[in-house]
Amino acid sequence: MNAPTSPSITQHPDIMALQARSERAVATPGAQMVEAVSLLTGLFIAASPWIVGFSGLTTLAVTNLIAGLAFVLLVRGVGGASAYDRTHAMSWAAIGIGIWTVVAPWAIVGDVSTTRSIIANTVGGGVAALLGLATAAMAARGRPRQPRA
């Protein structure tokens, strides 16, 4: 005798509707632009010590490399566009990385606050924080509203 089979949870109408909404959100030109600029921003933060010329400040160079790669992983590495709902919930971490990048020249031990490092980190971190805010806003706009009690 065969046991009754039930459809997979992935076939549930609510799950399918959420996946369709996520695919629509990722397909918008605005979301694609934010994702592309975020990827470039993370790469800039990671490579900025060598691009801008403060690679001799080892502690800040390593900090920027780690922060930039973490930002890139948040944008693309952890599921990418196929996991829009999950990865965009982490946009608050991206904002934190952006803020850390801005304050890093003053927060790191040693004298690493040169004009080049301050400008590169302020611009890169500010753009990263703004992109994280834009991602959070897009994710919040796509969520269904909770009824008021």
Side-chain angles (χ1 to χ4, degrees):
M1 197 176 255
N2 291 338
T5 60
S6 61
S8 169
I9 188 69
T10 59
Q11 301 302 315
H12 191 277
D14 290 340
I15 300 294
M16 293 175 69
L18 282 172
Q19 288 173 340
R21 183 182 59 83
S22 294
E23 289 171 9
R24 282 192 308 274
V26 171
T28 64
Q32 291 174 353
M33 183 188 72
V34 168
E35 186 176 359
V37 174
S38 295
L39 181 67
L40 292 173
T41 300
L43 292 174
F44 171 76
I45 292 170
S48 64
W50 296 274
I51 293 170
V52 179
F54 58 92
S55 60
L57 306 172
T58 308
T59 54
L60 186 60
V62 170
T63 298
N64 278 20
L65 181 64
I66 292 169
L69 293 177
F71 192 81
V72 168
L73 286 175
L74 281 175
V75 173
R76 281 304 291 166
V78 189
S82 63
Y84 180 81
D85 287 337
R86 291 184 300 264
T87 58
H88 285 68
M90 291 188 285
S91 61
W92 298 106
I95 295 168
I97 291 171
I99 292 170
W100 167 252
T101 302
V102 171
V103 300
W106 298 282
I108 293 177
V109 175
D111 187 20
V112 294
S113 59
T114 65
T115 303
R116 289 178 177 183
S117 66
I118 290 171
I119 291 172
N121 278 34
T122 302
V123 170
V127 170
L130 290 174
L131 290 167
L133 284 171
T135 302
M138 285 189 297
R141 192 175 344 138
R143 272 192 222 117
R145 303 252 184 240
Q146 296 292 333
R148 292 187 181 183

